[in-house]
Amino acid sequence: MRTLLIVSGGDAPGINAALYRFAELAQRHGDEIVGAVGGVAGAVDGHLIDLRPDMLAPVKALGGSFLASSREPVLGNPLNRVRLIETISRQRIDRIIVFGGDGSLQHIPPILQEMGLACVGLPTTIDNDVPGTEETIGFDSACNTAHQVIDGLMATARALPGRVFSVETLGGHTGFLALEIAYTCGADAVIIPEFDYDAQWLADRLKQVAHERRAALLILSEGAAGSRTIVEDMQDKFDLRIRDTRLGHGQRGVSPTFRDRALAVRMVDTAFAALHDNIEVGTVVVQNGQVNLCEMLITNFVPRKPDAQLYAAINGLD
Ligand code: F6P
C-alpha cells in the first residue's frame, strides 16, 4: 500500500510526531508513505517525497511541520483536480491522509471523495474547533504554552498591584482555545467571538477585581471583534492600567506536550488501521475520550459551539 500524507492549513504541535508514527508503522508493515511538499498545492504540482522514520526522528519532538503546508484552495480549479489525479496515478497512490483544521477538513476531503479518491482526515489544529471531535492535535500544547506565559505574567502582576493583564490567544474566528485557557488559568474575564459583551461591564469587572485581588486577568480571543480595540478602549476610555500580551504564532510553533504526542500516536494508529480495512472515507475523532474512526466527513457533523455556561461562569455572569 502506498499512502500520500498532506498537511494543510496552519501547522499544529504534534504533526511531526504523527508523521513519524506513520513512517514507523509503514516500515513495520512493508507499506510506503509519501508526503506532499506544500500541502494540496504541492500534491497538484507532483511535489512528493518518500518519508522514512530516520528522516523524521530528529523532528518528531518539535513544533511546526516537516512537510510544508499551504492554505491555497487549489482544488476549486477543475484543471488542478485533473493534475492531482495525474500525480496520484503516476505515483501509484492508493490512499490519502489529510492533516488539517476545520477549514481544510471541511474543504479538501469532500472534493477528494467526489474525485473518487480514498481519504481519511486527521484533525490537527490548536483551535480545537473541528466538528465531531472533542480534541484536536495541537490544542493541548497551545493551552500549555499560554499557561506558562500567564504564570509569569501573574507573578509580576501581583508584585505591583492595581494592574490588569490582558492576554490575546490565537484561535482564528473561534473561541474554544481562549475559553479553555481562561477557565483553567482562573481568568477574571474572557472575550471570544461567539458572544457579545458590554465594554462598560468589562471595565467595571476588571477594575473591581484588580482592586480587590491586586491584579486582574483578561483573556481575549484574536477573533473577538476588534480585540486590539478592546485593550485600547480599556486603557483610554475606561482608564485602566492594562498591560497587553499577544501570544501570537509563538503559541503555535512550540514542541508538543506529552498529551499531544500521545493523541498523535493514537490517531495515526487508528488512521493506519482504517487504511488496512480499506475504508474509503473517514475522519479520526475523539469521542467520550476515546480515539475512533468515523466513516464520514466532518461536513456531516454538527458544528461545535463554545460552552455558554463556562463563558458565563468565568465572567461572573452566572
Ligand atoms: O491554524 C489555525 C490558526 O493557528 C489560527 O489560530 C490563527 O488565526 C491562524 O491559524 C493563523 O494563520 P496564519 O498562520 O496563516 O497567520
Side-chain angles (χ1 to χ4, degrees):
M1 183 175 288
R2 195 163 152 86
T3 304
L4 169 62
L5 307 185
I6 299 179
V7 177
S8 177
D11 53 276
I15 285 184
N16 285 328
L19 294 174
Y20 174 79
R21 183 66 173 183
F22 257 116
E24 195 190 34
L25 287 177
Q27 194 174 65
R28 221 186 277 170
H29 290 83
D31 281 7
E32 287 173 22
I33 296 274
V34 290
V37 180
V40 181
V44 165
D45 289 343
H47 200 178
L48 311 188
I49 52 168
D50 290 328
L51 293 176
R52 294 185 320 271
D54 61 307
M55 15 186 336
L56 291 159
V59 296
K60 72 172 183 165
L62 302 181
S65 173
F66 178 83
L67 285 176
S69 180
S70 158
R71 287 194 190 279
E72 275 183 80
V74 287
L75 294 181
N77 179 342
L79 273 180
N80 287 334
R81 296 188 191 194
V82 172
R83 292 178 64 212
L84 181 61
I85 296 276
E86 282 167 6
T87 302
I88 299 288
S89 70
R90 195 175 54 248
Q91 292 271 349
R92 298 171 292 101
I93 305 291
D94 304 303
R95 297 277 185 278
I96 302 178
I97 302 279
V98 177
F99 293 66
D102 186 41
S104 298
L105 296 185
Q106 296 278 358
H107 179 66
I108 300 163
I111 298 180
L112 296 180
Q113 191 191 25
E114 238 179 81
M115 292 165 67
L117 300 170
C119 164
V120 170
L122 222 82
T124 55
T125 170
I126 62 166
D127 299 351
N128 204 27
D129 58 348
V130 177
T133 186
E134 290 156 11
E135 194 157 346
T136 54
I137 294 172
F139 176 62
D140 185 66
S141 307
C143 289
N144 200 53
T145 310
H147 269 256
Q148 285 171 359
V149 172
I150 291 166
D151 286 346
L153 290 177
M154 294 321 281
T156 179
R158 281 186 294 271
L160 185 58
R163 293 171 298 169
V164 173
F165 280 76
S166 142
V167 176
E168 185 194 270
T169 72
L170 288 185
H173 58 277
T174 63
F176 298 99
L177 182 62
L179 194 60
E180 187 63 16
I181 291 166
Y183 176 55
T184 52
C185 280
D188 305 296
V190 61
I191 303 297
I192 60 175
E194 292 86 346
F195 300 111
D196 286 336
Y197 75 100
D198 177 72
Q200 183 65 59
W201 157 81
L202 181 63
D204 291 345
R205 175 165 175 80
L206 293 172
K207 244 183 213 170
Q208 191 186 348
V209 174
H211 175 70
E212 286 172 5
R213 287 188 242 147
R214 288 197 184 196
L217 174 63
L218 164 67
I219 304 292
L220 290 171
S221 173
E222 63 167 349
S227 56
R228 297 296 77 218
T229 323
I230 297 173
V231 174
E232 280 157 23
D233 270 6
M234 291 297 124
Q235 198 152 263
D236 304 338
K237 210 191 292 172
F238 299 104
D239 192 27
L240 279 173
R241 290 179 68 204
I242 189 158
R243 298 292 180 263
D244 181 26
T245 300
R246 288 168 97 170
L247 297 177
H249 292 69
Q251 181 178 26
R252 195 171 82 184
V254 295
S255 290
T257 54
F258 161 73
R259 189 179 167 93
D260 271 329
R261 289 196 206 193
L263 186 60
V265 167
R266 289 202 168 85
M267 284 194 162
V268 169
D269 285 1
T270 304
F272 196 82
L275 299 180
H276 281 262
D277 287 344
N278 290 319
I279 301 290
E280 288 293 309
V281 62
T283 311
V284 181
V285 294
V286 180
Q287 287 170 333
N288 301 318
Q290 298 295 316
V291 175
N292 292 319
L293 182 97
C294 265
E295 286 186 55
M296 51 188 192
L297 300 171
I298 69 156
T299 41
N300 297 313
F301 292 114
V302 180
R304 297 190 58 211
K305 285 199 187 111
D307 184 338
Q309 276 183 343
L310 194 60
Y311 173 82
I314 297 165
N315 285 318
L317 298 167
D318 51 349

